[in-house]
Amino acid sequence: MQHQGERAPSKNRRDPSSPIGIFDSGVGGLTVVKAMQKELPAERLIYFGDTARVPYGSKSQVTIRRYAHDDTAMLMKHFPKMIIVACNTVSALALDVVERTGRGVPVVGVLEAGADLAVRRTLNGRIGVIGTQATVCSNAYELAINAIDPEIEVFSAACPLFVPLAEEGFVDHPATRLITEEYLEGLLRQGIDTLVLGCTHYPILKEMIGAVAGPGVRIIDSAEAVALSARETLAEAGMLDGSGRRMSPHLMVSDLPQKFRSLYRLFLGADVPDVELVEV
Amino acid sequence: MQHQGERAPSKNRRDPSSPIGIFDSGVGGLTVVKAMQKELPAERLIYFGDTARVPYGSKSQVTIRRYAHDDTAMLMKHFPKMIIVACNTVSALALDVVERTGRGVPVVGVLEAGADLAVRRTLNGRIGVIGTQATVCSNAYELAINAIDPEIEVFSAACPLFVPLAEEGFVDHPATRLITEEYLEGLLRQGIDTLVLGCTHYPILKEMIGAVAGPGVRIIDSAEAVALSARETLAEAGMLDGSGRRMSPHLMVSDLPQKFRSLYRLFLGADVPDVELVEV
């Protein structure tokens, strides 16, 4: 399927009209697409979701790094002016692979953006982070936060059931509340005042997470954080698209399962446009 | 890693000492390994779990059929005398692919074995089936059951959260009970007297599922069913291994994530032996 209204890519040059490439292990990164559309409505977005090999979060570092290379190479065919790593697991374990495969194209990782915003928001210097097993085990959020401010204390918890609960649409289910209470209990006991949603699926459960965390905890949505960071980086480089045109995103997936339509609606609150099926 | 105590495979011939190949999308098929060890302790078992691409249940038929081919080809390198498809999703959507790639080696699918046992056990002719989205959408259990007895009524429900709940070890958690009650409600209202666990992960939650279903519902564990069926097929062909030796299974996976050890313990109740990492 050919994306409608696509401009011919300039051969090797990047300019403000070049697209922004975004990838994720699956559909979760669509929360980043949504945040980008809101923050930068004139930009041309190319999204790749590796739906044939999702999820990454429970796999080994070697495998995650191999997949990160493939995903970046897929986007590079479209000569992007920026690559956004919407996948927290790849941001945590393979950002250097993306930078190498991207050969000089600026790379913005959802993890760094979320860490940066959390540091700016915390008042008591106690930040909680929730994410997949791989993200949490990597300690990458702690490293990124402490690189900015070594005084801040970071407390993490893996929440492996949040992705399937979000995808099942168990958004305000009593079982989701029980599981959320159990997952957050240890973090809340530490007196955190800021909680980073360290996985792009988690904004779907934002309301429940916020309700369980209580009004004293500020929730950092890393999809919003990465959109802010992308805007800043492009503005500094004079690479913002000034055309004012609004274009729907070019979507590519490595598998097109039946449930893609319902997930797309869940994430973007809109019907699914044309989707290109690609092989990795 | 070389599997200890492996006999050299006879070049192209199969005989009673040849191994039995078992594959699954991930670790779930280890419930089949466990049932096989109990039912046929003298057989040499070779297990392949496609842990790099797990899960299959939420993916498209095209992708599932491609993976089924790869998995079978991996086992064929070891000249098996039988191939057991421990993955319900592959049994439902790609058994013909396995048979073609297996070039005449007998193939036993976990789905057919479970369907067969359920038909023999039901008294009122009302059978429930639970499984992944892909297995349930395929209607494959209904087709297999009605091929044996067209009078039987089959009621199915997809239970996508059972695999992550099992892998998280939420075996007797109150959230698991709430979710189980919700998933089974429709089936129980239909007055089923037999319930097929149509996914190899589900035996981990067998106790909770049995408690919610109540004493009037017989639970069919398809891992046990496939071991019984394999035994019958080998006995009929005179291919049972009569050596009396006990060998630990040869395990191959396409990825070796950190959590493999804890999952292996959860599934087999034993420490993980040598595991070979292979590329698909």
Side-chain angles (χ1 to χ4, degrees):
Chain A
M1 275 164 280
Q2 185 61 37
H3 175 65
Q4 289 180 350
E6 189 171 344
R7 296 166 229 174
S10 52
K11 272 287 167 262
N12 278 310
R13 295 273 302 277
R14 272 95 184 168
D15 60 42
S17 74
S18 299
I20 297 172
I22 304 171
F23 77 86
D24 183 44
S25 56
V27 296
L30 291 175
T31 54
V32 172
V33 170
K34 192 178 182 182
M36 288 289 288
Q37 285 180 321
K38 198 177 152 207
E39 195 62 32
L40 294 164
E43 296 292 335
R44 187 150 63 97
L45 306 179
I46 296 194
Y47 181 82
F48 173 59
D50 191 9
T51 46
R53 304 190 294 195
V54 71
Y56 289 3
S58 52
K59 282 156 197 171
S60 72
Q61 187 165 1
V62 173
T63 295
I64 291 162
R65 290 172 71 82
R66 182 155 55 89
Y67 291 175
H69 167 82
D70 299 345
D71 301 342
T72 309
M74 180 67 67
L75 289 177
M76 288 297 286
K77 292 179 193 162
H78 296 266
F79 304 99
K81 63 181 176 185
M82 167 177 274
I83 290 174
I84 295 181
V85 182
C87 177
N88 275 276
T89 306
V90 171
S91 289
L93 299 171
L95 206 65
D96 59 313
V97 173
V98 178
E99 279 165 349
R100 209 160 42 243
T101 312
R103 296 190 303 272
V105 174
V107 173
V108 178
V110 72
L111 190 151
E112 293 67 25
D116 188 59
L117 192 57
V119 170
R120 286 191 265 159
R121 293 284 160 83
T122 183
L123 296 173
N124 73 358
R126 300 174 80 78
I127 296 176
V129 177
I130 52 176
T132 64
Q133 198 72 54
T135 301
V136 167
C137 287
S138 72
N139 270 329
Y141 269 100
E142 194 171 352
L143 292 170
I145 289 169
N146 286 336
I148 307 170
D149 184 344
E151 297 293 305
I152 290 177
E153 285 199 84
V154 181
F155 307 93
S156 321
C159 306
L161 287 167
F162 276 177
V163 169
L165 286 168
E167 294 203 347
E168 269 282 86
F170 275 42
V171 171
D172 52 5
H173 196 281
T176 306
R177 175 172 281 272
L178 284 175
I179 291 167
T180 305
E181 285 169 355
E182 184 156 329
Y183 280 156
L184 299 190
E185 193 193 355
L187 298 181
L188 296 174
R189 231 186 301 123
Q190 296 293 343
I192 57 166
D193 76 343
T194 306
L195 177 63
V196 182
L197 308 185
C199 170
T200 42
H201 270 76
Y202 296 2
I204 306 287
L205 302 175
K206 197 173 175 177
E207 215 164 304
M208 176 69 82
I209 293 167
V212 170
V217 177
R218 197 182 292 262
I219 307 293
I220 303 292
D221 178 337
S222 42
E224 287 171 17
V226 83
L228 290 171
S229 175
R231 186 191 179 81
E232 279 173 24
T233 307
L234 288 174
E236 277 169 26
M239 288 288 269
L240 284 170
D241 190 335
S243 70
R245 273 177 290 196
R246 263 179 173 277
M247 304 182 76
S248 56
H250 179 173
L251 301 177
M252 302 183 291
V253 291
S254 53
D255 190 27
L256 195 57
Q258 282 190 319
K259 70 170 181 176
F260 185 80
R261 268 167 210 286
S262 61
L263 286 177
Y264 188 89
R265 204 169 294 120
L266 183 69
F267 278 88
L268 283 185
D271 280 329
V272 72
D274 283 350
V275 180
E276 186 186 354
L277 193 61
V278 295
E279 204 162 320
V280 274
Chain B
M1 278 160 280
Q2 185 61 38
H3 175 65
Q4 288 180 352
E6 187 171 348
R7 298 166 228 173
S10 51
K11 272 287 168 262
N12 277 310
R13 295 272 303 274
R14 271 96 186 168
D15 59 42
S17 74
S18 300
I20 298 172
I22 304 172
F23 78 85
D24 183 44
S25 56
V27 296
L30 290 174
T31 54
V32 172
V33 170
K34 191 178 183 182
M36 288 290 288
Q37 285 180 321
K38 197 177 152 208
E39 194 64 31
L40 294 165
E43 298 291 337
R44 186 149 63 97
L45 306 179
I46 295 192
Y47 180 82
F48 173 59
D50 191 9
T51 45
R53 303 191 294 195
V54 71
Y56 289 4
S58 51
K59 284 157 196 171
S60 72
Q61 187 165 1
V62 173
T63 295
I64 291 163
R65 290 172 71 83
R66 181 154 55 90
Y67 291 175
H69 167 81
D70 298 344
D71 300 342
T72 309
M74 180 68 65
L75 289 177
M76 287 298 286
K77 293 179 193 163
H78 295 265
F79 304 98
K81 64 181 176 184
M82 167 178 275
I83 290 173
I84 295 181
V85 182
C87 176
N88 276 274
T89 305
V90 171
S91 289
L93 299 171
L95 205 65
D96 58 312
V97 173
V98 179
E99 280 167 348
R100 208 160 43 242
T101 313
R103 295 189 304 272
V105 173
V107 173
V108 178
V110 72
L111 189 151
E112 293 67 26
D116 188 58
L117 192 58
V119 170
R120 285 191 266 159
R121 292 285 160 82
T122 183
L123 297 173
N124 73 357
R126 300 174 81 77
I127 296 176
V129 177
I130 53 177
T132 63
Q133 198 72 56
T135 301
V136 166
C137 286
S138 73
N139 270 329
Y141 269 101
E142 193 170 353
L143 292 170
I145 288 169
N146 286 334
I148 307 170
D149 184 343
E151 298 292 307
I152 290 177
E153 285 199 83
V154 181
F155 307 92
S156 321
C159 305
L161 287 167
F162 276 177
V163 169
L165 286 169
E167 293 202 348
E168 268 284 85
F170 274 43
V171 171
D172 53 4
H173 195 281
T176 306
R177 175 172 280 271
L178 285 174
I179 290 167
T180 306
E181 285 169 355
E182 183 157 328
Y183 279 155
L184 299 190
E185 194 193 354
L187 298 180
L188 296 173
R189 230 186 301 121
Q190 297 293 343
I192 57 164
D193 76 343
T194 306
L195 178 63
V196 182
L197 307 184
C199 171
T200 43
H201 270 75
Y202 295 2
I204 306 288
L205 302 175
K206 198 172 174 177
E207 214 165 302
M208 177 68 83
I209 293 167
V212 170
V217 177
R218 196 182 293 262
I219 307 293
I220 303 291
D221 179 337
S222 42
E224 288 171 18
V226 83
L228 290 170
S229 175
R231 187 191 175 82
E232 280 173 23
T233 307
L234 289 173
E236 276 169 25
M239 288 288 269
L240 284 169
D241 190 334
S243 69
R245 273 178 288 195
R246 262 179 173 276
M247 304 182 77
S248 56
H250 180 171
L251 301 178
M252 302 182 293
V253 292
S254 52
D255 189 26
L256 194 57
Q258 283 191 320
K259 70 170 182 177
F260 186 82
R261 269 167 210 285
S262 61
L263 287 176
Y264 189 90
R265 204 169 294 120
L266 183 69
F267 278 90
L268 284 185
D271 279 330
V272 73
D274 283 351
V275 180
E276 186 185 355
L277 193 60
V278 296
E279 204 162 318
V280 275

